[in-house]
């Protein structure tokens, strides 16, 4: 028997159907060993060493200390048992650096006594697996060294700098080689937005009708000087950058031009330029471009994209018990397609669309210097499997992503689109000065690749124009008539915040990280609460800004974009055998005479001078004292001057840096100071009643905050501010939750209350929303029972998303349900303590709770793939061209279906990926 080892059970299931009875396919479940993830995992033999916490012997060749996590021990035992009956071991992990590293670790742990062969394939198909079996090799030691160097480097970086953040910002924070640079980009974009000064400029727009069409022409120049656009203004001053080159008109000037120009009808078409242009297809997807496209088209996060791509790669049930990988390996930075794929794509295009749609194979040059994460771009394993044919086997997200990949890969081999473009200038002389309007238009002459992918964001189709044509009034007999002329005001806008897609694009442009790092990096900075999402925009939190301020002030060299990119190049050189990995790590950590002191000594020198970071907001409008944002143990707060009594206030969690001014901070301090005075004494308990402002917003409180007995607190209803709260209203709030009586069917109490997520009724942990705050005081027991009967059964409401589990890649969420708030990875649930605020749960706490819950449950079972749900999208098809391919084209149907699917609603379903990544609590 030959034992084949892959990373995941899903991949094993697909591969096993291609191999005969002489093969046994088993899964390692990702990495079987790693650097210790916690102090408890550090071996006793090295605990006394000064480097023990990092588990890397920095004094003796950077030897790593690997341990086998508890979750992997059972998998190793299973593999060892299978190996006893095997006469050969085939290591079939993925063909990237991480996959090579997994194979190496398997060899180190299993210590096989039978022959070992390393096989790799870019797609999970019968042909690819047979070719791999025919071309075995040894484990690539250079690739392993490159991956292990990356792992050790990240450990040195994170475990060295994270303690600095614990001491100087807040505990449980982390620094990371890629994550800190990504965070820096987000913070510095926010700082750009803060410095931004808007500017206003005006132009004039004409709508002109002719030959049954209507087009727009904009005023672009007055005399020899052009009108400005947004790029002509300094973003930090709002002033024109080159005023001698442009002419800026104000509203009055624009209105005068409109008045004068209307009096000078007819205008003259002074210039017409016509040219034919070609529009080339984009190359097939790499990991980063796929993440960007899926984010832009469907709103997928990078981790969602990779999760769905993993499912398509590892295998989909396509009927009759068959299981096929539908796409090639999805972690790649190469644009290359295999010769076999090029031939198949060409044959498919000619057969389905016609010879005119194929001009021969296209080969794209990869931008990456090494492009060694995989050997091919992402493509379908068989172009004949069109999205339309595969739709019934895929759920909505799988169908969308498969369509995107299929269309892009096929289009990359199709003929150019040919467009006829026209640019026309229309001139009117006002006071002897020519005022020029410009109109642009285009028409698709030959659609080429646009038939299946992309679309021309077409300019207006212009009528047939010639120099000397006149533009007359609406009631004139001219062929071209002025329909409307209007002044338009514009205001420059600050640079847009990064989205997950645009951040991936920037990281790739700068050479930061590698394809496999983008999704976990973006998940990490959100899980650490350095960044939050508002809509699709990534906004830095005060903690995130403080971390960047500290690192930039004291360790700027190590989070510099160019330095980080050079480190990536060095890791590539290690993989190529051009750089010694120990020398590289030593230079980074210890330094030398040429490169400086190294990270270890830099931290030692800087630490005494590092002060707690603060973010300056401005001066108090009344006292003139400086106001700063400071980071507390649990929340951020504003501080006036040196702080002290009456000079600090919590910042509500929904107030971000772009909304926090010195004036607003002054109001927070004023409210906080005033709230220390009680509204009155509670008529029953005799305790003081306060109206307070906290990090989660305003609330009322019965009792003292510093008393041994925990005071009762109730948040304010939505739309109510502290200024609206008087003593009577505070008592009304504190009367909640209000008991409505006992449910005669269950014998349980029914109550009405107000939570952070609004008014509700509750019975025995089962919650239902109430339509308004006022209803809480009028709802009857019978009404509440009726409301509780609706939507029977267990309900789940997502409160917070923490990110991916570092091992299983499952989505970790904080939810509330029938029995109250809990954390879940979709398979294991762990209830939160009654006094734990669900919105304050961290990733570390969630992981600990889930591990404990899984242990109690017995053995943690992996989520298995369910039968794919059929997509229910019925969005209308939008035609992008009038040209028709051959009748009955399946490809065109697939293309249309794919395009329509982009308009369908986002899927909320999640599936667990089967691949683990290296565990690390830091970095």
């Amino acid at each position: 028997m030959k034992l084949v080892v892959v990373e995941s059970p899903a991949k094993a299931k697909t591969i096993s159907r291609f191999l005969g009875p002489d093969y046994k396919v088993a899964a390692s479940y990702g990495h079987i060993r790693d650097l210790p993830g916690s102090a408890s995992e550090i071996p006793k033999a090295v605990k006394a060493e000064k480097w023990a916490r990092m588990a890397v012997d920095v004094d003796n060749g950077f030897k790593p200390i690997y341990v086998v996590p508890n979750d992997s021990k059972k998998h190793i035992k299973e593999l060892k048992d299978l190996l006893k009956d095997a006469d050969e071991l085939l290591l079939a992990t993925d063909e990237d650096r991480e996959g090579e590293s997994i194979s190496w670790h398997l060899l180190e742990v299993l210590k096989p006594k039978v022959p070992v062969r390393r096989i790799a394939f870019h797609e999970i198909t019968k042909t690819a697996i047979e070719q791999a079996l025919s071309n075995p090799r040894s484990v690539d030691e250079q690739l392993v060294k490159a991956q292990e160097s990356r792992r050790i480097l990240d450990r040195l970086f994170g475990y060295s700098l994270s303690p600095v953040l614990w001491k100087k910002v807040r505990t449980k924070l982390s620094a990371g080689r890629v994550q800190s640079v990504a965070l820096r980009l987000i913070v510095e974009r926010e700082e750009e937005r803060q410095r931004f000064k808007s500017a206003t400029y005006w132009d004039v727009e004409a709508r002109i009708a002719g030959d049954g069409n209507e087009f727009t022409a904009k005023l672009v120049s007055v005399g020899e000087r052009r009108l400005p656009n947004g790029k002509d203004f300094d973003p930090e001053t709002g002033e024109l950058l080159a005023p001698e080159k442009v002419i800026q008109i104000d509203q009055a000037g624009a209105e005068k031009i409109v008045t004068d120009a209307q009096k000078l009808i007819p205008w003259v078409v002074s210039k017409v330029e016509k040219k034919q242009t070609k529009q080339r297809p984009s190359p097939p997807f790499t990991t980063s471009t796929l993440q960007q496209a899926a984010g832009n088209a469907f709103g997928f996060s990078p981790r969602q994209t990779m999760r769905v791509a993993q499912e398509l790669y590892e295998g989909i049930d396509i009927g009759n018990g068959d299981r096929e990988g539908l796409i090639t390996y999805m972690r790649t930075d190469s644009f290359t397609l295999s010769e076999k794929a090029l031939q198949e794509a060409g044959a498919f295009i000619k057969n389905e669309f016609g010879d005119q749609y194929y001009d021969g194979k296209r080969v794209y040059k990869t931008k990456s210097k090494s492009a060694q994460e995989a050997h091919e771009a992402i493509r379908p394993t068989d172009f004949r499997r069109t999205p339309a044919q595969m739709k019934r086997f895929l759920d909505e997200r799988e169908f969308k992503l498969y369509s995107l990949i299929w269309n892009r890969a096929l289009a990359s081999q199709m003929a150019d689109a040919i467009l006829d473009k026209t640019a026309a200038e229309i001139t009117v002389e006002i006071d002897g000065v020519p005022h020029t309007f410009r109109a642009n238009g285009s028409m698709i002459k030959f659609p080429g690749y646009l038939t299946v992918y992309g679309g021309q964001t077409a300019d207006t189709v212009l009528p047939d124009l010639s120099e000397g044509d006149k533009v007359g009034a609406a009631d004139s007999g001219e062929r071209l008539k002025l329909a409307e002329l209007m002044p338009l005001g514009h205001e420059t806008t600050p640079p847009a915040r990064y989205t997950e897609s645009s951040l991936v694009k920037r990281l790739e442009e700068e050479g930061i990280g590698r394809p496999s790092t983008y999704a976990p990096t973006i998940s990490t900075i959100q899980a650490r609460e350095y960044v939050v999402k508002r809509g699709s925009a990534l906004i830095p939190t005060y903690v995130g800004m403080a971390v960047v301020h500290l690192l930039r002030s004291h360790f700027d060299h190590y989070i510099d974009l160019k330095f980080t990119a050079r480190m990536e190049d060095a890791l590539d050189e290690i993989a190529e055998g051009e750089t010694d990995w120990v020398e590289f790590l030593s230079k980074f950590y210890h330094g030398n005479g040429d490169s400086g002191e190294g990270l270890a000594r830099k931290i030692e020198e800087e630490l005494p001078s590092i002060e707690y970071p603060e973010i300056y907001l401005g001066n108090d409008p009344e006292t003139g004292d400086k106001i700063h944002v400071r980071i507390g143990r649990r929340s951020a707060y504003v501080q006036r001057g040196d702080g002290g009594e009456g000079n600090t206030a919590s910042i509500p969690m929904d107030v971000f840096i772009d909304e926090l001014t010195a004036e607003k901070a002054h109001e927070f301090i004023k409210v906080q100071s005033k709230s220390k005075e009680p509204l009155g004494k509670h008529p029953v308990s005799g305790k003081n009643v306060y109206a307070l402002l906290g990090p989660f917003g305003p609330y009322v409180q019965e009792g003292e905050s510093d008393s041994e007995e925990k005071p009762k607190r109730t948040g304010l209803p939505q739309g109510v501010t502290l200024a609206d709260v008087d003593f009577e209203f505070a008592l009304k709030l504190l009367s909640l939750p209000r008991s409505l009586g006992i449910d005669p069917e269950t014998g349980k109490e029914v109550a009405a209350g107000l939570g952070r997520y609004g008014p509700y009724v509750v019975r025995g942990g089962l919650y239902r929303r109430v339509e308004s705050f006022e209803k809480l005081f009028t709802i009857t027991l019978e009404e509440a029972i009726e409301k509780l009967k609706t939507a029977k059964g267990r309900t789940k409401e997502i409160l917070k998303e923490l990110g991916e589990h570092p091992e299983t890649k499952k989505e970790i969420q904080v939810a509330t349900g029938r029995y109250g708030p809990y954390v879940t990875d979709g398979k294991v649930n762990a209830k939160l303590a009654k006094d734990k605020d669900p919105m304050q749960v961290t990733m570390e706490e969630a992981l600990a709770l889930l591990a404990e819950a899984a242990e109690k449950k017995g053995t943690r079972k992996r989520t298995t793939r369910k039968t794919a749900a059929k997509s229910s999208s019925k969005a209308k098809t939008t035609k992008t061209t009038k040209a028709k391919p051959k009748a009955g084209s399946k490809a065109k149907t697939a293309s249309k279906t794919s395009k329509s699917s982009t308009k369908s609603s986002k899927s909320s379903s999640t599936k667990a990926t089967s691949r683990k990544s290296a565990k690390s609590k830091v970095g």
Side-chain angles (χ1 to χ4, degrees):
M1 182 265 289
K2 301 178 191 299
L3 177 61
V4 181
V5 181
V6 296
E7 298 99 317
S8 73
K11 187 175 178 181
K13 184 178 179 182
T14 304
I15 290 173
S16 62
R17 67 174 292 269
F18 297 122
L19 301 175
D22 295 336
Y23 292 85
K24 173 66 179 177
V25 186
S28 70
Y29 290 82
H31 287 273
I32 59 168
R33 67 174 188 169
D34 193 15
L35 298 172
S38 64
S40 62
E41 291 183 345
I42 298 173
K44 291 182 180 179
V46 300
K47 278 198 172 182
E49 302 289 346
K50 62 181 181 181
W51 45 262
R53 189 178 60 84
M54 288 191 291
V56 176
D57 189 347
V58 296
D59 298 324
N60 293 289
F62 294 89
K63 180 183 177 182
I65 306 300
Y66 290 114
V67 298
V68 177
N70 289 330
D71 281 354
S72 292
K73 289 178 180 177
K74 60 183 178 183
H75 304 312
I76 292 174
K77 184 180 183 305
E78 291 170 1
L79 292 174
K80 284 184 174 181
D81 289 343
L82 290 170
L83 195 55
K84 291 176 183 178
D85 300 323
D87 51 35
E88 188 175 23
L89 174 62
L90 297 173
L91 301 173
T93 53
D94 290 335
E95 62 173 337
D96 59 3
R97 290 174 184 164
E98 191 171 357
E100 207 71 22
S101 177
I102 292 173
S103 284
W104 177 76
H105 281 289
L106 284 166
L107 281 178
E108 293 287 303
V109 173
L110 297 179
K111 301 185 185 309
K113 296 179 181 179
V114 297
V116 178
R117 294 190 296 168
R118 171 80 168 104
I119 62 172
F121 34 82
H122 186 58
E123 59 187 60
I124 305 179
T125 60
K126 184 177 179 62
T127 302
I129 292 169
E130 288 175 347
Q131 287 178 348
L133 290 170
S134 301
N135 296 278
R137 59 175 174 82
S138 300
V139 171
D140 190 326
E141 294 290 341
Q142 290 302 139
L143 281 182
V144 172
K145 286 179 181 177
Q147 178 60 25
E148 298 309 293
S149 299
R150 182 185 298 274
R151 184 75 187 93
I152 294 168
L153 177 65
D154 288 341
R155 175 59 65 103
L156 296 176
F157 190 106
Y159 274 53
S160 298
L161 283 173
S162 295
V164 176
L165 302 181
W166 302 344
K167 293 174 184 177
K168 298 299 183 180
V169 184
R170 182 188 287 174
T171 59
K172 297 182 179 180
L173 299 181
S174 73
R177 181 177 61 91
V178 178
Q179 93 179 34
S180 295
V181 175
L183 178 61
R184 177 177 187 161
L185 289 172
I186 294 170
V187 169
E188 291 185 344
R189 176 60 57 87
E190 197 68 26
E191 290 171 341
E192 287 180 54
R193 290 172 59 85
Q194 287 181 282
R195 294 191 300 266
F196 181 81
K197 296 290 186 293
S198 64
T200 301
Y201 60 98
W202 287 75
D203 59 25
V204 179
E205 181 177 286
R207 286 197 302 112
I208 299 170
D211 295 346
N213 291 323
E214 192 173 270
F215 63 95
T216 298
K218 285 190 175 182
L219 180 67
V220 293
S221 63
V222 175
E224 298 297 321
R225 297 165 72 190
R226 65 177 178 83
L227 269 66
N229 56 44
K231 294 180 180 179
D232 291 310
F233 295 89
D234 188 323
E236 295 187 17
T237 66
E239 300 296 325
L240 278 170
L241 292 170
E244 71 280 0
K245 294 182 180 179
V246 297
I247 181 169
Q248 186 178 8
I249 58 175
D250 56 16
Q251 182 176 358
E255 290 173 348
K256 183 178 185 303
I257 290 172
V258 169
T259 301
D260 293 344
Q262 285 176 326
K263 294 177 181 177
L264 295 170
I265 290 286
W267 303 347
V268 178
V269 175
S270 54
K271 186 178 181 180
V272 177
E273 290 184 346
K274 295 181 179 180
K275 62 180 179 179
Q276 193 174 91
T277 63
K278 290 184 178 181
Q279 186 169 311
R280 300 179 183 276
S282 299
F285 284 127
T286 62
T287 300
S288 62
T289 56
L290 177 63
Q291 291 174 359
Q292 293 167 49
N296 294 332
F298 314 128
F300 287 1
S301 68
R303 65 174 179 267
Q304 283 178 311
T305 300
M306 296 308 290
R307 185 184 303 117
V308 178
Q310 184 91 27
E311 294 164 4
L312 295 171
Y313 165 69
E314 290 188 335
I316 299 292
D317 291 323
I318 57 174
N320 300 321
D322 290 339
R323 186 177 176 84
E324 292 277 357
L326 296 189
I327 65 169
T328 53
Y329 191 55
M330 63 287 164
R331 292 183 179 92
T332 175
D333 51 8
S334 172
F335 290 140
T336 304
L337 293 181
S338 68
E339 186 62 33
K340 173 178 172 289
L342 292 171
Q343 291 176 4
E344 289 179 354
F348 185 90
I349 292 165
K350 288 189 287 185
N351 182 62
E352 296 293 328
F353 298 96
D355 291 345
Q356 70 273 31
Y357 282 84
Y358 185 70
D359 290 334
K361 65 182 180 182
R362 290 180 180 268
V363 178
Y364 296 89
K365 186 177 179 181
T366 301
K367 295 179 181 178
S368 172
K369 292 180 181 178
S370 60
Q372 57 190 350
E373 290 295 334
H375 302 302
E376 270 198 90
I378 305 170
R379 61 166 174 83
T381 55
D382 189 336
F383 283 101
R384 292 170 298 181
R385 293 196 186 110
T386 67
Q389 291 173 333
M390 292 295 103
K391 183 175 182 179
R392 62 195 180 99
F393 305 116
L394 306 175
D395 67 24
E396 185 179 6
R397 295 177 311 142
E398 291 167 342
F399 174 68
K400 286 180 175 180
L401 199 66
Y402 182 67
S403 299
L404 198 66
I405 293 167
W406 189 93
N407 287 342
R408 174 78 166 243
L410 190 71
S412 74
Q413 296 304 307
M414 295 181 71
D416 296 340
I418 300 176
L419 291 79
D420 285 335
K421 290 198 170 185
T422 303
E425 292 183 358
I426 302 169
T427 303
V428 54
E429 287 202 6
I430 301 176
D431 297 330
V433 179
H435 288 56
T436 302
F437 291 78
R438 180 175 294 135
N440 294 296
S442 64
M443 291 183 65
I444 298 174
K445 185 175 181 180
F446 173 67
Y449 78 93
L450 294 177
T451 307
V452 297
Y453 186 83
Q456 176 67 15
T457 54
D459 300 315
T460 307
V461 177
L462 300 182
D464 187 20
L465 299 176
S466 301
E467 292 182 13
D469 286 348
K470 299 288 195 298
V471 178
D475 56 355
S476 71
E478 298 289 349
R479 181 171 65 91
L480 302 176
K481 299 179 177 63
L482 179 63
E484 188 175 13
L485 187 63
M486 66 194 85
L488 290 179
H490 307 275
E491 189 173 31
T492 57
T493 57
R497 291 187 173 103
Y498 284 108
T499 63
E500 291 181 329
S501 296
S502 62
L503 181 60
V504 165
K505 183 179 181 182
R506 179 70 189 280
L507 290 171
E508 183 186 35
E509 289 172 347
E510 297 291 344
I512 307 299
R514 280 295 180 261
S516 59
T517 65
Y518 297 138
T521 294
I522 294 173
S523 295
T524 297
I525 59 177
Q526 292 180 69
R528 300 287 184 192
E529 297 184 347
Y530 293 157
V531 170
V532 295
K533 282 179 71 174
R534 182 189 285 172
S536 61
L538 297 173
I539 307 175
T541 63
Y542 300 107
V543 173
M545 297 189 77
V547 165
V548 169
H549 285 191
L550 186 152
L551 294 176
R552 195 169 53 190
S553 298
H554 298 275
F555 306 99
D556 184 66
H557 175 65
Y558 294 95
I559 62 167
D560 177 75
L561 271 65
K562 291 182 179 179
F563 173 75
T564 308
R566 286 197 300 271
M567 292 169 74
E568 295 289 353
D569 293 339
L571 290 167
D572 290 339
E573 291 169 3
I574 291 171
E576 296 293 325
E578 298 174 2
T579 296
D580 181 79
W581 70 279
V582 174
E583 182 181 331
F584 165 71
L585 291 173
S586 180
K587 187 175 181 181
F588 167 76
Y589 189 71
H590 295 303
N592 55 36
D594 296 327
S595 64
E597 63 267 334
L599 179 60
R601 190 179 301 173
K602 180 69 174 176
I603 292 173
E604 185 180 348
E605 292 177 354
E606 290 290 323
L607 195 57
S609 65
I610 297 176
E611 298 181 353
Y612 290 94
E614 52 188 19
I615 304 167
Y616 175 66
L617 291 178
N619 294 353
D620 187 282
E622 288 187 4
T623 68
D625 293 327
K626 290 182 178 180
I627 296 181
H628 292 89
V629 174
R630 306 288 302 255
I631 308 300
R633 285 182 58 194
R634 295 184 178 179
S635 62
Y637 63 94
V638 289
Q639 175 180 301
R640 180 171 55 196
D642 295 328
E645 186 72 23
N647 286 296
T648 62
S650 298
I651 304 172
M653 292 186 70
D654 60 349
V655 176
F656 296 102
I657 190 67
D658 62 321
E659 303 165 330
L660 186 60
T661 60
E663 290 73 23
K664 197 161 191 173
H666 169 81
E667 288 302 315
F668 287 157
I669 294 171
K670 187 176 179 181
V671 168
Q672 192 89 340
S673 179
K674 184 179 179 181
S675 66
K676 296 184 181 299
E677 303 171 9
L679 298 174
K681 290 189 178 295
H682 195 283
V684 178
S685 68
K687 297 177 182 178
N688 286 331
V689 174
Y690 299 92
L692 303 170
L693 178 66
F696 299 105
Y699 61 96
V700 295
Q701 176 175 300
E702 179 185 346
E704 306 300 326
S705 298
D706 55 0
S707 65
E708 292 185 5
E709 183 182 356
K710 187 176 179 180
K712 181 176 181 180
R713 292 169 176 165
T714 304
L716 303 191
Q718 189 173 7
V720 177
T721 67
L722 283 177
D724 302 321
V725 178
D726 56 19
F727 183 54
E728 182 180 354
F729 188 71
L731 292 179
K732 189 175 182 181
L733 284 170
L734 290 168
S735 70
L736 298 172
R738 168 178 164 251
S739 178
L740 302 178
I742 303 298
D743 184 339
E745 291 185 13
T746 64
K748 294 180 179 180
E749 183 182 23
V750 180
L754 180 67
R756 186 177 304 158
Y757 313 104
Y760 63 85
V761 289
V762 59
R763 180 194 62 212
L766 181 64
Y767 291 80
R768 291 292 181 269
R769 291 185 182 275
V770 173
E771 53 269 27
S772 69
F773 170 70
E774 291 75 18
K775 185 67 176 176
L776 292 176
F777 300 94
T778 60
I779 191 169
T780 65
L781 176 62
E782 292 73 20
E783 289 174 325
I785 291 173
E786 193 62 30
K787 190 173 286 291
L788 289 164
K789 285 181 179 178
T790 61
K792 282 187 177 181
R794 187 172 181 177
T795 59
K796 175 181 175 183
E797 180 180 355
I798 304 303
L799 306 179
K800 181 181 180 182
E801 292 192 354
L802 297 178
E804 287 184 346
H805 194 294
E807 297 175 24
T808 66
K809 296 299 183 183
K810 295 176 183 176
E811 191 75 21
I812 307 295
Q813 299 171 326
V814 182
T816 184
R818 182 177 180 182
Y819 303 107
Y822 63 96
V823 294
T824 179
D825 64 359
K827 188 68 175 176
V828 178
N829 297 336
K831 191 174 181 180
L832 296 181
K834 290 183 179 180
D835 59 347
K836 180 64 180 179
D837 183 347
M839 298 304 289
Q840 290 299 300
V841 175
T842 65
M843 174 63 90
E844 288 79 6
E845 292 170 331
L847 293 175
L849 288 168
L850 289 169
E852 184 180 351
E855 197 170 320
K856 289 180 181 177
K857 188 176 180 181
T859 177
R860 170 175 281 189
K861 296 179 181 179
R862 297 183 62 80
T863 301
T864 56
R865 193 181 187 285
K866 297 181 179 179
T867 302
K870 294 182 180 180
S871 173
S872 60
S873 172
K874 294 183 180 179
K876 294 181 179 179
T877 300
T878 301
K879 294 183 179 179
T880 59
T881 174
K882 295 179 181 179
K884 296 180 180 179
K886 288 185 178 180
S889 168
K890 296 176 182 177
K892 184 174 180 180
T893 304
S895 173
K896 290 185 179 181
T897 309
S898 170
K899 290 170 186 174
S900 69
S901 72
T902 64
K903 298 182 181 180
S904 58
S905 61
K906 296 179 183 178
S907 168
S908 61
S909 62
T910 57
K911 295 182 182 178
T913 59
S914 55
R915 175 170 183 154
K916 293 182 184 178
S917 64
K919 288 197 308 180
S920 174
K921 288 188 177 181
V922 184

